[in-house]
Amino acid sequence: MDFTKIKGVIFDLDGTLVDSKLDFDLLRAELNFPEQSPLLEHLATLTCHQQISHAEQCIYDHEMAGAHAAEAIEGVAELLLTLRQLGIPTAVLTRNMRDASHYVLEKFKLDIPLVLTREDCRAKPDPEGILKIAQQWQLSPQEIVYIGDFWFDIEVAKNANTWSCLYDPELSKEYRHHADWVYQHVTELTQAFRQSHLVNS
């Protein structure tokens, strides 16, 4: 991936900027959702209003509990500072809900001015969120990188025709080869942006 072409950075939230300790398997078990099923997509298939209401409340409770238990990911604050110093705008696009997202960003004092949650646009891997951010920044999708830690993050980048970057600390994710760039530690990403700035200066 050519970092000299990147003029805007969009982040996933959970697992990329913070670790919220969400246990999706436990949540699916509590809701009696199929194993490995995407929560939001399966929720959309429900037709019983009582079941929908219960599931939404359960998901809300789990997300807020995860937000309160969240831990910092080493190197993120330095990465955001570097991007700010380089004049590269940042945003968050997450499948998480607004309350939990803003709570963790404030908790760890992550200064990211633009945040889109599942209440603001169609959920990943739909590219609507990325395209909205690109329009606000007045950048083409090809000038933006989407950074995340899951398959949906690679998929949404491809759907929006942006670059994709995968956080894979153990280099164990079987789909990592589909990403344009893979890093194990946030400092690798920070260094890549710094080096690209030196090339351009």
Side-chain angles (χ1 to χ4, degrees), residues 46 61 66-67 84 87 104 120 142 146 155 158 167 171 194:
L46 302 182
D61 292 342
R84 193 156 54 248
V104 295
D120 303 307
Q142 294 81 16
Y146 188 82
E155 197 174 8
K158 291 186 183 301
Y167 179 42
L171 290 182
R194 285 175 177 166

Side-chain angles (χ1 to χ4, degrees), residues 121-141:
C121 59
R122 291 187 292 273
K124 298 180 295 182
D126 191 293
E128 181 187 19
I130 289 181
L131 298 179
K132 276 187 172 184
I133 294 167
Q135 184 178 34
Q136 183 162 331
W137 285 344
Q138 296 186 320
L139 294 176
S140 74

Side-chain angles (χ1 to χ4, degrees), residues 30 58 61 74-75 81-82 86 95 99 125 129 131 147 180 182 189 193 201:
E30 282 190 23
C58 191
D61 292 342
E74 186 179 357
L81 176 60
T82 295
L86 296 178
R95 285 167 61 95
D99 287 354
L131 298 179
I147 300 172
D180 293 309
V182 180
L189 195 54
F193 276 108
S201 60

